[in-house]
Amino acid sequence: MSTYNKPYRTYEQQLALLKSRGLEITNDNVALEYLRRLGYYRLSGYWYPCRQLIPMPPSQSKAIRPQRKDEFIPGSSFQNAVELYVFDKKLRLLILDAIERIEVACRGDIAYLLGKKDRFAYNNPSLLHGNFTKKVDAKTGRTKYHEWLVKHDQLIQRSKEDFVEHYKTKYGLPLPIWVAIELWDFGLLSTFYKGMAVQDKIDIAAKYGVPDFLVMESWLRCLNYVRNVVAHHSRL
């Protein structure tokens, strides 16, 4: 393991370093403002594709991940990186809006379907898939359902929502599924869908025109991953 020994650099030094490596900068003041507001490290992800590739022997070109030099490809500009950052930001906002609609709709559909069978369906293992509720993980000694319940209970306990406090005060715990589900994050929601009984998963998937519940499971997992990327302002 190598030792991290890169020095601290002021914004002006960061700008000078980029120039020395061949990145075109047409307006120093504007570039410095972006470095102050967004940070060198965040922006570096957007100018990374502009760095020159290190030539590799043909025999290794497919087996090893390409490495890049510090120097930039001629014609690369700081403005290109900023524009890519702005595009990515707008894309994240559009994606978040779309995923929110899917997440809210799925919550409502699951609560409506299972609520008819049991107001506290998420606490009733007999309504869920056996692999979810009975299959014990050799590494943890727990079922996926047990792990899910631990995360669920933590969310309930941490919640400061007025409607949760009202239900706790008036009725106690557990919360009915149509209340509890409003506190689930997308990860908890997608994991619960995977743990539902097959016919219930089929019924939910059919509402979205998905003919295979396994495809629906994979889509929800993917959407959960993308949502986490977006929520943490990472590169999409």
Side-chain angles (χ1 to χ4, degrees), residues 121-140:
Y122 62 92
N123 265 346
N124 187 345
S126 66
L127 294 178
L128 304 174
H129 198 285
N131 282 347
F132 186 52
T133 60
K134 298 176 183 177
K135 188 176 181 180
V136 176
D137 188 306
K139 294 181 180 179
T140 64

Side-chain angles (χ1 to χ4, degrees), residues 104-162:
V104 170
C106 283
R107 285 182 186 179
D109 290 336
I110 291 173
Y112 187 80
L113 178 67
L114 295 186
K116 288 188 294 183
K117 301 179 180 183
D118 186 342
R119 290 169 296 172
F120 310 105
Y122 62 92
N123 265 346
N124 187 345
S126 66
L127 294 178
L128 304 174
H129 198 285
N131 282 347
F132 186 52
T133 60
K134 298 176 183 177
K135 188 176 181 180
V136 176
D137 188 306
K139 294 181 180 179
T140 64
R142 297 178 174 181
T143 64
K144 293 295 183 183
Y145 178 54
H146 183 274
E147 293 176 353
W148 184 90
L149 279 175
V150 170
K151 294 177 182 178
H152 170 271
D153 291 344
Q154 288 173 345
L155 281 178
I156 300 298
Q157 294 301 327
R158 290 200 306 262
S159 175
K160 303 299 181 184
E161 293 281 0
D162 289 342

Side-chain angles (χ1 to χ4, degrees), residues 149-211:
L149 279 175
V150 170
K151 294 177 182 178
H152 170 271
D153 291 344
Q154 288 173 345
L155 281 178
I156 300 298
Q157 294 301 327
R158 290 200 306 262
S159 175
K160 303 299 181 184
E161 293 281 0
D162 289 342
F163 69 87
V164 175
E165 294 301 322
H166 166 75
Y167 268 85
K168 285 181 179 179
T169 301
K170 191 169 183 178
Y171 305 108
L173 294 174
L175 304 175
I177 188 169
W178 51 82
V179 177
I181 204 168
E182 290 300 319
L183 300 175
W184 299 359
D185 55 34
F186 209 135
L188 215 60
L189 181 71
S190 62
T191 300
F192 185 80
Y193 175 83
K194 185 177 181 180
M196 288 166 54
V198 170
Q199 187 56 55
D200 289 336
K201 289 192 284 190
I202 291 173
D203 291 344
I204 295 294
K207 294 200 65 174
Y208 297 89
V210 182

